[in-house]
Amino acid sequence: MRVLVTRPAPAAARTARKLAALGHEPVLLPLARAEHDVEAARAALAERHSAIAITSAEVARLLGNVGPALDRHLLTTVFSVGHVSAQAAADAGFRTVLSPGGDGKGLANMIIAHCRDFGMPAEPILYLTGRPRAPGFEARLEDAGIPLRTAECYRMAPIIPKRSDAEAVLLKPVPDAVLFYSRETARTFFELSPLAETPERFLSTLMLCMSANVAKAVPQRFAALTVVASAPNEESLLDLL
């Protein structure tokens, strides 16, 4: 299958290698890029906190650029949303990384259970995150009365490719499947000129979504071709192919 990957670099390259190993033809069209704010991360880490929570591997990659200021935090417990984020945090040097291997709701539930077993933290949990993001994780911890301090340290900026580049990737030939990892990227995809002007050309293309939230950005005319992964991770997404 010819499979279009819309996620940002460098993750897109790793996905392409996985697809090639499965016998597919990967095509890359990144529709977002991460803009890091390392100073915001340093400032957040300098304030007192009991643990660190991350819901994106992007944060873990950013922390790898904080430098020597990170060293005194490496014994701090990190609650990470998934295995990829957890591995990235471990690669950054953190000694204790706990992950439920699911989504933000699963991470919130794990933190709540941890606080129930070991007591409410005296200092807030530092949530290092980006923009845009779903509100569920923060809302769940707030409802449970767990102190949380949120610090935005990156943003995902949309990439609008040149018309000629988009047409070359999307029309020569049309992909058999598209992988969507975020709601914002899916929204950007359907605004591209080939989709906006000749959507009928894509009525045989599978729209594969990481989660039900991502699938909400897929227009109704493609509903019959939209499939949601059984779990919010790349392994489950690729299983749909």
Side-chain angles (χ1 to χ4, degrees):
M1 295 178 69
R2 179 177 169 87
V3 182
L4 181 68
V5 181
T6 61
R7 70 188 316 196
R14 293 195 298 272
T15 299
R17 289 192 292 271
K18 292 179 182 179
L19 289 168
L22 293 170
H24 300 295
E25 176 191 357
V27 185
L28 305 187
L29 186 67
L31 295 178
R33 66 176 176 274
E35 297 178 348
H36 291 179
D37 189 344
V38 176
E39 287 306 316
R42 288 195 184 107
L45 288 166
E47 297 186 37
R48 295 178 65 87
H49 53 276
S50 60
I52 296 171
I54 61 175
T55 53
S56 167
E58 199 62 54
V59 170
R61 285 190 286 269
L62 180 155
L63 289 174
N65 296 321
V66 167
L70 188 65
D71 292 349
R72 67 189 184 93
H73 301 285
L74 295 180
L75 296 180
T76 302
T77 297
V78 174
F79 296 104
S80 174
V81 73
H83 299 311
V84 173
S85 300
Q87 185 58 57
D91 291 344
F94 288 95
R95 306 293 194 271
T96 303
V97 182
L98 306 178
S99 173
D103 55 11
K105 180 180 178 181
L107 180 63
N109 289 339
M110 185 182 74
I111 292 173
I112 292 169
H114 188 275
C115 292
R116 183 176 60 244
D117 294 340
F118 297 98
M120 197 67 73
E123 303 291 344
I125 294 172
L126 173 60
Y127 178 33
L128 296 174
T129 186
R131 178 168 50 90
R133 65 182 180 278
F137 172 74
E138 292 162 275
R140 181 79 177 91
L141 291 187
E142 181 180 353
D143 289 344
I146 295 175
L148 186 73
R149 179 163 53 84
T150 300
E152 291 185 354
C153 51
Y154 77 93
R155 69 180 290 266
M156 297 305 298
I159 296 175
I160 308 300
K162 295 179 182 177
R163 184 186 184 97
S164 57
D165 292 340
E167 290 178 349
V169 170
L170 295 173
L171 300 177
K172 301 178 181 179
V174 173
D176 299 300
V178 183
L179 303 180
F180 294 117
Y181 292 75
S182 76
R183 187 170 177 173
E184 291 73 25
T185 295
R187 186 179 296 112
T188 299
F189 176 79
F190 289 102
E191 292 173 351
L192 297 177
S193 55
L195 275 299
E197 296 170 8
T198 57
E200 65 277 2
R201 300 189 65 169
F202 300 88
L203 292 179
S204 295
T205 300
L206 292 172
M207 307 298 176
L208 308 182
C209 302
M210 178 78 86
S211 70
N213 183 58
V214 174
K216 291 177 181 177
V218 180
Q220 184 60 35
R221 70 164 65 218
F222 299 105
L225 298 159
T226 302
V227 187
V228 177
S230 60
N233 56 59
E234 186 170 70
E235 290 73 18
S236 297
L237 186 63
L238 297 185
D239 283 345
L240 299 177
L241 292 169

